[in-house]
Amino acid sequence: MFLALREIRHARTRFALIAAMMVLVAGLVFILSGLANGLAADSAAAIDRLPADRIVFQASSDLSFDRSLLNEGDLAKVRAIDGVREANALGVSMTNVSFPDNGSAGVAVFGVDPTGPLAPPVTSGDRLAAQGAVIDASLARKGIGVGDTITVEPSGVQVKVVGITSDRTYRHAPVVYVP
């Protein structure tokens, strides 16, 4: 210990530079971990907020929402498992939507049963119904509101916005919930 204190006293500048470098590296790690956590949360916020204990994928889908296709027979098998109270279908697709003012955005479209538990809570407007769509608030910030019509591309299907939800993104894209 005596030798270390003597070295610090005689080489104050070197010790200060090393300490400053350690503080800068620690700050960089802190900032990058915050950035990584934010990006991870934005990537799967809609999935994280699903009111589900388990998610079932098709065996050959490699745990990908885009490649997993379960039919009613598969859902019936899941419902027959002991301890399963309810099983609901969720369709996920990445696409583009265009707006009335000729704008467009890449979105994730989540197909859910409007009366089921996967339908999102709304912050304004009405809940998801048999017709219409509930959009994430980030689309609302682009000027889309309740009552507006968006067009799903490239199919050209037009959907009326009935409600707005918040913090629902998937792969960094806002989610549009449809029946």
Side-chain angles (χ1 to χ4, degrees):
M1 186 69 178
F2 169 75
L3 203 54
L5 292 174
R6 190 173 130 206
E7 184 64 27
I8 290 171
R9 241 181 277 126
H10 290 294
R12 292 173 196 225
T13 306
R14 186 178 350 148
F15 179 74
L17 286 173
I18 291 171
M21 289 302 295
M22 289 174 54
V23 167
L24 289 173
V25 168
L28 180 66
V29 168
F30 177 73
I31 290 169
L32 287 178
S33 67
L35 175 66
N37 286 337
L39 288 172
D42 196 37
S43 178
I47 301 298
D48 289 342
R49 287 175 176 75
L50 286 175
D53 296 330
R54 306 280 188 274
I55 297 176
V56 178
F57 292 93
Q58 180 183 17
S60 62
S61 69
D62 294 328
L63 302 179
S64 169
F65 284 99
D66 297 342
R67 290 192 293 258
S68 182
L69 300 171
L70 299 175
N71 57 34
E72 268 306 314
D74 296 329
L75 284 175
K77 290 177 188 175
V78 171
R79 289 180 185 116
I81 297 172
D82 282 339
V84 173
R85 289 178 286 146
E86 191 173 4
N88 296 281
L90 170 67
V92 177
S93 180
M94 300 299 292
T95 190
N96 292 318
V97 294
S98 58
F99 313 135
D101 67 351
N102 295 326
S104 66
V107 298
V109 177
F110 278 28
V112 298
D113 177 2
T115 60
L118 300 183
V122 293
T123 55
S124 66
D126 296 325
R127 290 186 49 84
L128 188 62
Q131 299 291 320
V134 173
I135 63 171
D136 181 62
S138 59
L139 277 178
R141 287 190 291 274
K142 292 183 179 187
I144 304 303
V146 173
D148 289 343
T149 300
I150 57 176
T151 305
V152 179
E153 302 295 345
S155 68
V157 173
Q158 293 189 333
V159 183
K160 183 178 178 182
V161 175
V162 296
I164 298 173
T165 187
S166 63
D167 298 326
R168 302 286 199 253
T169 55
Y170 178 70
R171 292 186 181 172
H172 305 284
V175 174
V176 175
Y177 289 88
V178 295

